[in-house]
Amino acid sequence: MDFYKIALLAILSIAGIAVVRQLKQEFAMPLTIGVSVLLLLMICDELYNVVYTFYNFADSANIDSEAISCVIKVVGIGYLAEFSNNVCVDANCKSIGDKVLLASKVAILFCALPVVEKLFSVIMSLVQ
């Protein structure tokens, strides 16, 4: 991952946004969100390799792909929730950000439910 590009873009963006905030306050927030999305897209390019590696590990270990998919979805939901919450906090809407975090926890619960159900059925079959 070319982290130095991400760090450089972030630092230059902060400097640019600080100048824009002094000149035209109303342009600062859309610019901040735009830079944040651009940084997120730069990171997502690298995440493809990580996801692909997880699926290769699952294939080599004979792990059900549903479990790996669940783990990847949960991690993705967590990162997206944190990103969304930070944007809300930057926009001085902390209460909305808190609702995003709550919704992400519910989404994670629903995502993990099939895996927990499968685990419960395996435990029940071992007990009987």
Side-chain angles (χ1 to χ4, degrees), residues 13 37 120:
S13 298
V37 169
F120 184 71

Side-chain angles (χ1 to χ4, degrees), residues 78-121:
Y79 282 143
L80 189 59
E82 183 179 353
F83 176 79
S84 301
N85 179 48
N86 289 340
V87 169
C88 292
V89 169
D90 288 345
N92 293 323
C93 296
K94 185 182 178 316
S95 62
I96 294 173
D98 291 341
K99 300 332 177 263
V100 168
L101 292 178
L102 176 64
S104 71
K105 292 172 185 175
V106 172
I108 288 171
L109 180 65
F110 278 118
C111 182
L113 200 57
V115 174
V116 171
E117 184 179 21
K118 191 177 281 188
L119 179 64
F120 184 71
S121 67

Side-chain angles (χ1 to χ4, degrees), residues 3-24:
F3 181 74
Y4 65 91
K5 290 180 185 177
I6 292 171
L8 184 62
L9 176 62
I11 291 169
L12 292 175
S13 298
I14 289 169
I17 290 169
V19 170
V20 169
R21 189 170 283 136
Q22 290 176 353
L23 299 175
K24 285 283 196 179

Side-chain angles (χ1 to χ4, degrees), residues 27-73:
F27 292 142
M29 183 52 61
L31 188 59
T32 301
I33 292 172
V35 169
S36 298
V37 169
L38 181 63
L39 289 169
L40 186 65
L41 290 174
M42 291 172 70
I43 294 167
C44 284
D45 284 343
E46 297 297 326
L47 283 178
Y48 174 78
N49 294 330
V50 173
V51 171
Y52 185 73
T53 303
F54 269 111
Y55 279 110
N56 284 341
F57 287 154
D59 285 341
S60 64
N62 291 328
I63 298 174
D64 185 21
S65 64
E66 182 181 358
I68 296 297
S69 294
C70 179
V71 169
I72 291 171
K73 286 178 187 176

